[in-house]
Amino acid sequence: MENLRDLFQVLTRRFGMLNKNCCLVGGMEISLVQSHIIHEIDKQNNPSVQQVADSLGIDVTTFSRQIQTLTKMGLVKKQQLPEDKRVYVLSLTTEGKFVSTSIDKEMNQYLQEIFSHMNEFEKDTVIRSVKLLNEAMSKSSVCCKPYI
């Protein structure tokens, strides 16, 4: 039987998940974690710090340091809600939106290139399989709860 851990280890390496930085956009190096944070803020509408941290499965302390770095880089704005001073919402600056769009475009090109080596049936099978795997992982009691 095939070693499943080996299979996922190779997939992780090939997808670049072990790389310190995922992208270079406009002369800025963006880490993989920062890329995920930027994507999640862009995907949600003015999410709270807690919402994004929960979506990504990152503890709030670690997450807050990342937000502080992204704010200093000029990519993210953190604002206190006037109606509830305990809650902070996040949004992307114009430059943050540019970085998000650039990374999204780069990742989509990367995935298109990978899928170009498959026929439509194979591509659909992989996409369906990844969706099934994500769904099963979200129901697992032993898996971290990544965003869906």
Side-chain angles (χ1 to χ4, degrees):
M1 181 173 159
E2 205 165 356
N3 183 329
L4 291 178
R5 181 172 179 201
D6 284 347
L7 190 66
F8 283 95
Q9 295 278 107
V10 170
L11 178 68
T12 299
R13 282 194 302 269
R14 287 193 176 146
F15 207 63
M17 292 178 193
L18 299 179
N19 299 352
K20 181 182 177 210
N21 292 311
C22 82
C23 327
L24 183 63
V25 180
M28 278 189 279
E29 287 188 355
I30 307 296
S31 74
L32 188 59
V33 171
Q34 291 168 342
S35 168
H36 280 270
I37 292 169
I38 290 167
H39 177 76
E40 200 61 33
I41 293 170
D42 198 18
K43 195 170 88 170
Q44 297 185 33
N45 185 26
N46 293 324
S48 71
V49 168
Q50 190 67 54
Q51 284 174 310
V52 179
D54 288 348
S55 294
L56 296 173
I58 302 173
D59 73 274
V60 177
T61 306
T62 303
F63 184 76
S64 292
R65 276 185 299 235
Q66 291 291 340
I67 291 301
Q68 194 172 26
T69 301
L70 290 168
T71 301
K72 285 179 186 171
M73 292 170 78
L75 303 177
V76 171
K77 284 189 287 191
K78 178 180 168 184
Q79 295 174 305
Q80 197 173 38
L81 272 185
E83 61 271 17
D84 188 346
K85 303 276 189 223
R86 299 167 298 165
V87 178
Y88 286 86
V89 293
L90 301 170
S91 60
L92 296 179
T93 63
T94 303
E95 189 159 2
K97 186 72 174 158
F98 171 77
V99 167
S100 180
T101 303
S102 297
I103 293 171
D104 198 39
K105 184 179 175 185
E106 187 179 320
M107 289 305 300
N108 285 325
Q109 287 173 341
Y110 176 63
L111 291 168
Q112 279 181 336
E113 197 282 327
I114 292 169
F115 284 128
S116 74
H117 301 283
M118 298 179 192
N119 63 39
E120 280 303 307
F121 176 76
E122 291 167 333
K123 177 183 168 184
D124 290 344
T125 300
V126 169
I127 292 169
R128 266 195 325 277
S129 297
V130 171
K131 286 179 181 177
L132 280 171
L133 182 61
N134 275 335
E135 190 177 318
M137 289 172 79
S138 74
K139 295 174 185 173
S140 171
S141 62
V142 294
C143 181
C144 57
K145 299 287 183 186
Y147 73 97
I148 298 173

